[in-house]
Amino acid sequence: MRIATWNVNSVRQRLDHLLTWLQDCRPDVVCLQEIKCVDEAFPREPIEALGYNVVTHGQKTFNGVALLSKYPLEEANPGLAGDDADVHARFLEGVVSLKRGVVRVACLYLPNGNPVGSEKYPYKLSWMARLRDYAQQRLKTEEPLILAGDFNVIPHAEDVHNPAAWTEDALFRPETRESFQTLLGLGLTDALRATTDAPGQYTFWDYQAGAWQKNWGLRIDHLLLSPQAADRLRHVGIDSYVRNWEKPSDHVPVWADFDLETA
């Protein structure tokens, strides 16, 4: 089973890119972030024509997440618990049945948090604390769990081209990285880092200053795995080639292959 994540930065603007990549990569389950449309406006038909079931948790003009699955989604739960006042469409959980048990995939779009001196940074840290509580509860079920999405977190210095330039950014501040490490401390595994220690494994290049051409990138899109998912991990890939397409998203897809057999 191939499970992927991609911040498409507007699904309607990048629909041709998405359809091409789906046919190239052939993922079984896809987590999309920043779809930037309400549920009714999501371009379901061409995606369903490729054999995907589609569930969305949209929001007008910004945010929004979606799950695409070649298998029936037995459950689809929008919203991250812990703050009833938070109406941002940033979280969508889906469940796929296996021959033995299920695999649970949580698609998430974690807040950016900038500027740090505003209310946006406490919101980011609060959201991460809620995600930790969610993961802690789900890990008790001892089922394969994948948290996949745009975390807006640079975990380590080797995950950014120029660490010194990002020290005060919300994506790289010590509190942000500590919160991310707390997630891993629950027993989650960073899929990419389970397969390689190599630097330069970027998933995002800014539109400004020729960042793509200069390879001034960041790794902020992650798949975090429960022990039951990590045990079945086979391969991880970053499809950086899509960043070279015309009018691309500033993020690229990340995918992982698992030894999981569907029902």
Side-chain angles (χ1 to χ4, degrees):
M1 178 182 285
R2 177 166 288 183
I3 298 175
T5 179
W6 190 8
N7 180 324
V8 290
N9 192 9
S10 179
V11 69
R12 289 181 294 180
Q13 289 187 28
R14 322 283 178 209
L15 181 59
D16 288 346
H17 289 188
L18 175 60
L19 296 174
T20 299
W21 173 77
L22 288 173
Q23 292 172 86
D24 286 350
C25 184
R26 302 174 66 85
D28 296 290
V29 179
V30 183
C31 300
L32 299 179
Q33 301 87 43
E34 279 203 277
I35 61 173
K36 294 186 177 178
C37 66
V38 295
D39 296 338
E40 296 77 13
F42 189 89
R44 306 175 63 94
E45 290 79 6
I47 296 169
E48 290 173 340
L50 295 179
Y52 288 94
N53 298 287
V54 177
V55 179
T56 62
H57 179 35
Q59 186 172 349
K60 188 176 181 180
T61 71
F62 67 110
N63 295 333
V65 287
L67 281 170
L68 319 179
S69 175
K70 289 188 175 178
Y71 307 102
L73 289 163
E74 307 300 333
E75 298 177 28
N77 306 308
L80 182 63
D83 184 357
D84 293 339
D86 183 3
V87 296
H88 287 198
R90 295 183 175 275
F91 185 90
L92 181 60
E93 173 194 71
V95 175
V96 174
S97 290
L98 304 173
K99 282 203 170 178
R100 295 184 178 180
V102 300
V103 58
R104 189 176 299 270
V105 181
C107 173
L108 60 98
Y109 175 44
L110 208 144
N112 178 285
N114 284 304
V116 171
S118 71
E119 74 284 354
K120 293 182 178 181
Y121 192 56
Y123 171 59
K124 179 189 185 85
L125 296 179
S126 173
W127 208 97
M128 295 184 78
R130 289 159 56 199
L131 182 63
R132 179 195 63 221
D133 292 344
Y134 163 84
Q136 192 167 35
Q137 291 302 311
R138 285 302 186 201
L139 286 168
K140 292 177 182 178
T141 66
E142 298 187 354
E143 64 192 12
L145 168 71
I146 294 112
L147 306 183
D150 176 2
F151 281 71
N152 271 313
V153 175
I154 304 167
H156 300 287
E158 56 266 31
D159 297 312
V160 55
H161 165 71
N162 181 8
W166 290 83
T167 52
E168 292 304 314
D169 193 278
L171 279 63
F172 196 53
R173 280 180 64 88
E175 301 95 321
T176 303
R177 289 184 286 144
E178 287 167 10
S179 187
F180 188 81
Q181 290 304 314
T182 299
L183 264 177
L184 298 181
L186 296 175
L188 294 169
T189 295
D190 181 340
L192 182 87
R193 287 305 178 207
T195 62
T196 179
D197 292 327
Q201 304 295 304
Y202 304 141
T203 66
F204 171 93
W205 293 261
D206 197 279
Y207 291 127
Q208 307 299 318
W212 165 247
Q213 291 77 11
K214 298 171 184 175
N215 198 27
W216 291 355
L218 322 171
R219 187 174 77 95
I220 56 176
D221 303 87
H222 310 296
L223 293 96
L224 302 188
L225 317 178
S226 72
Q228 295 75 21
D231 286 347
R232 294 166 173 82
L233 178 65
R234 294 296 174 261
H235 305 286
V236 179
I238 300 174
D239 287 342
S240 55
Y241 68 93
V242 305
R243 185 62 175 80
N244 209 38
W245 289 350
E246 187 178 357
K247 297 181 180 178
S249 170
D250 40 8
H251 297 253
V252 298
V254 185
W255 52 264
D257 289 340
F258 299 89
D259 183 14
L260 294 168
E261 194 171 6
T262 55

